Amino acid sequence: TSVTLEAYAETFLERIEQTCKHTTHDDYRKIFDRYVLPVFRGQDLQQITREKVKAFAVGCLQRGLSAKTVQNIIRTISSLFSHALEDNLVTVNPALRPGKFLPKISKRRSINPLTGQELALFLAYTKTMAPILYPAFLCAARTGLRQGELLALQWEDINFAGRFVEVRRNFTHGKMTTPKSGESRRVDLSRELTATLETLQLDRQFQAVARGWKEGPPWVFCNEKGQPLNQNRIRLKFFRLLKGAGVRQVRFHDLRHSFASLLLQNGESPVYVKDQMGHSSIQVTVDLYGHL
């Protein structure tokens, strides 16, 4: 049966919408709309050969796209053709194993963690200049939670007696979903962070009474209306605090890398770091931090 790629792309996107995160689904749609369909629109699935996929990949590289971006594009095409194979619409997957015709990509990802001294300067400055946000930034630095996991944290997730937090959810693009790995994990809390969160919880109870709320908001870190903090505003405030503290500019996500690197410097095992970070495998941990 003759089926065009753009027609089957809609079928493919509808099918995976129930099995993948909304952010992944959005990324797939953007890849099709921005890169794939402008080149292959109108072509039947059976007309798309491996030679055409190779030429498409080379064209993307020549346009200035990074090898990693092109790899993600080809893997998206490959995923579509895997579904088409199961539906007996094609006999081969022309985008299978893109590593055969793409430049080799280093497994070591770029990380830029803060040193212990830089982190101390940042936290000390934040505690003085932005005391309301200080608990959130301290939690990010001492637990390695992703920004979405941090903003999705609820009081019921914290075990003060055992000094640990259960990471159960992730807040991203305005939606609540599961952590990146799809599974919850337990992260240990330092004594300093535990005491800070206990004080914050007590203050939040006083605020609830003062504002006439029937009960306090479930979110550990929230705004004046009891809603989760805005991701973009948190990042903007983070950059300003780094500048004010005289610390070099890094990404918010690098607080997570700082947490892992400091654990390793303190003699913790890569296996423990893997569990605390929620990595899917020890290989991810080694690829990221093996050089440390």
Side-chain angles (χ1 to χ4, degrees), residues 201-224:
Q201 186 182 50
L202 185 60
D203 291 342
R204 191 67 52 73
Q205 292 170 352
F206 288 141
Q207 291 173 9
V209 174
R211 294 173 181 174
W213 293 342
K214 292 183 179 179
E215 58 182 3
W219 315 106
V220 177
F221 309 113
C222 61
N223 58 25
E224 297 80 3

Side-chain angles (χ1 to χ4, degrees), residues 21-89:
K21 292 186 177 182
H22 70 279
T23 50
T24 303
H25 184 269
D26 290 345
D27 288 341
Y28 278 1
R29 180 170 289 280
K30 289 176 183 176
I31 285 174
F32 281 119
D33 292 343
R34 186 177 301 173
Y35 303 112
V36 181
L37 294 184
V39 175
F40 293 108
R41 192 182 303 277
Q43 297 190 38
D44 292 343
L45 291 174
Q46 295 179 2
Q47 292 179 312
I48 302 176
T49 63
R50 188 164 180 83
E51 288 69 28
K52 287 185 177 181
V53 174
K54 287 182 180 179
F56 169 67
V58 171
C60 288
L61 292 170
Q62 291 175 342
R63 287 165 50 196
L65 298 181
S66 70
K68 181 63 176 177
T69 298
V70 178
Q71 185 184 72
N72 289 337
I73 294 172
I74 301 303
R75 283 179 173 172
T76 300
I77 298 175
S78 179
S79 182
L80 177 144
F81 272 95
S82 293
H83 282 255
L85 269 171
E86 293 180 358
D87 292 339
N88 294 318
L89 296 176

Side-chain angles (χ1 to χ4, degrees), residues 170-210:
N170 184 42
F171 185 71
T172 178
H173 293 81
K175 293 184 179 180
M176 198 65 64
T177 181
T178 60
K180 185 176 181 180
S181 64
E183 300 179 356
S184 63
R185 70 180 186 279
R186 179 177 294 187
V187 180
D188 295 330
L189 300 178
S190 68
R191 298 185 192 280
E192 176 191 20
L193 178 56
T194 302
T196 299
L197 293 177
E198 286 176 333
T199 301
L200 178 63
Q201 186 182 50
L202 185 60
D203 291 342
R204 191 67 52 73
Q205 292 170 352
F206 288 141
Q207 291 173 9
V209 174

Side-chain angles (χ1 to χ4, degrees), residues 140-168:
R142 295 286 184 256
T143 62
L145 267 61
R146 301 177 179 91
Q147 187 185 44
E149 296 170 343
L150 184 77
L151 300 185
L153 201 62
Q154 297 187 6
W155 290 113
E156 66 179 13
D157 302 328
I158 301 176
N159 186 314
F160 288 107
R163 292 202 358 248
F164 65 83
V165 59
E166 289 279 353
V167 182
R168 299 184 174 118

Side-chain angles (χ1 to χ4, degrees), residues 120-138:
L121 286 172
F122 166 73
L123 291 174
Y125 182 81
T126 300
K127 190 173 185 178
T128 301
M129 303 304 296
I132 294 178
L133 291 176
Y134 170 73
F137 287 123
L138 179 66

Side-chain angles (χ1 to χ4, degrees), residues 225-261:
K225 297 181 180 179
Q227 300 299 319
L229 295 173
N230 181 275
Q231 291 175 301
N232 293 329
R233 290 181 180 177
I234 284 293
R235 278 196 291 267
L236 182 60
K237 191 66 176 179
F238 173 65
F239 297 142
R240 289 175 177 172
L241 289 168
L242 283 174
K243 184 177 180 180
V247 177
R248 60 193 169 89
Q249 291 288 302
V250 296
R251 303 168 303 166
F252 186 94
H253 195 73
D254 285 314
L255 286 177
R256 175 172 165 83
H257 294 315
S258 302
F259 169 72
S261 64

